[in-house]
Amino acid sequence: MSTGKLTIDLAALADNWRALDSLSRCETAAVIKANGYGLGSAQVAKTLAQAGARHFFVAIAEEGAAVRQALGQGPRISVFSGHMPGDRDLIAAHDLTPMLNSIDQMLHHVEALPGHRFGIQLDSGMNRLGMEAAEWAALRDIALSQDPTLIMSHLACADEPDHDMNARQLRNFVEMTDGIDVPRSLSATGGILLGRDFHFDLTRPGVGLYGGMPFAEARPVVTLDLPVIQIRDIEAGEAVGYGNTWIAQRPSRIATIAAGYADGLLRAMGPKAQLFAGSSRCPVVGRVSMDLITADVTDLPQDPDTLSIMGPAQTVDDIAEAAGTIGYEILTSLGGRYQREYHS
Ligand SMILES: *Cc1c(COP(=O)(O)O)cnc(C)c1O
């Protein structure tokens, strides 16, 4: 076997949902966009439905169709991008709920699918998706007369609890929705941790379910073990990998591992990341290449058959930090070549 083994702990995933659900003073949904943050949206959706989630969010209608196929009828599946041109049949056939983002989307939706469920996304300051306050003021009465299922907005800085943007967006959201008798939702993982004022009627955690920050108490969900292809001895002064960026300072034993940046192990993480044999660290040496990583295994008592890059000793967020990015990007970059194993 020359591909890495990606193990996804579905019990930990369910535990993370239950933990975030117990922190939420309201219903807790689950965000499973981008193929369940790279882990497999069908398996993730079924596991979380079993744990009790009844409302799922995806980014685009195509993802919603796949989730509906996995879950069958019953759970609500909402689409952040709203009702895009060409989505009519997917939305109708798979009973998806578009979160309408603009007056144009609203007009398009009621014309294309009159009477079909929808929600509304408002912009409370992030300026990414959703209706602006003025747009909403113009549309509000008409929109409310059509019975939206949910009114939502999204926080830009929820992973920084002290950022004044949080209170500002909360104020804007309340101003735009006060006195409206429709369920409201403002918070993703970060917002849940900001406390009850931010919860409203529904929370929408994503990354925390998958073991990522800012949910520090999350159980890790992903383990990634990589097979060693070859081990060699080199002399002090010899170089390893492209560009001769690493030169051995001592006689060294170098293992070559079967995964690289084509598998989502970003080249930028380079020598700041480690591989692990159990709890023993083996520094990455030289450049990460497309299909291969080289590591210094000189200090191990015996040659390893596999080395781990994600697991208890090094989390998704540790890898992200080494690469100068966030856990979300590491998860959603996990490559297609791994052999995936789901444990429940
Ligand atoms: C991705 C996303 C979420 C989930 O965010 P996490 O930070 O992963 O919990 C919730 N709401 C919207 C609108 C999103 O785009």
Side-chain angles (χ1 to χ4, degrees), residues 4-9 34-40 44 210-211 221-226 259-266 269 309-311 314-317 319-320 325-342:
K5 188 170 87 178
L6 184 69
T7 309
I8 295 154
D9 183 346
N35 192 29
Y37 286 49
L39 302 187
V44 165
Y210 309 99
V221 172
V222 179
T223 312
L224 181 54
D225 297 304
L226 307 171
Y261 59 75
D263 304 290
L265 300 175
L266 305 182
M269 81 180 180
I309 193 158
M310 275 179 232
Q314 183 165 253
T315 65
V316 169
D317 286 281
I319 294 278
T325 181
I326 52 176
Y328 300 72
E329 191 179 9
I330 299 299
L331 286 170
T332 56
S333 302
L334 288 169
R337 289 195 286 197
Y338 301 127
Q339 173 205 347
R340 287 163 182 250
E341 261 186 37
Y342 291 89

Side-chain angles (χ1 to χ4, degrees), residues 7 13 18 22 46 92 95 100 137 172 227 232-233 261 304:
T7 309
L13 175 79
R18 280 187 284 262
S22 69
K46 284 186 201 163
D95 190 17
L100 304 178
N172 291 343
R232 78 186 66 243
D233 290 304
Y261 59 75

Side-chain angles (χ1 to χ4, degrees), residues 31 33 37 80 121 128 152 154 188-189 204-207 328:
V31 178
K33 60 194 180 188
Y37 286 49
F80 289 136
Q121 186 155 198
R128 188 180 67 169
M152 60 164 280
H154 191 50
T189 304
R204 312 182 307 269
V207 75
Y328 300 72

Side-chain angles (χ1 to χ4, degrees), residues 20-34:
L20 289 162
D21 184 42
S22 69
L23 290 173
S24 299
R25 306 285 300 196
C26 59
E27 184 184 350
T28 304
V31 178
I32 56 175
K33 60 194 180 188

Side-chain angles (χ1 to χ4, degrees), residues 6 39 46 57 89 92 126 157 178 213 219 231 249 298 304:
L6 184 69
L39 302 187
K46 284 186 201 163
F57 287 89
D89 293 347
M126 187 177 185
C157 304
D178 229 12
M213 288 296 280
R219 285 184 60 191
I231 299 188
Q249 301 297 306
T298 314

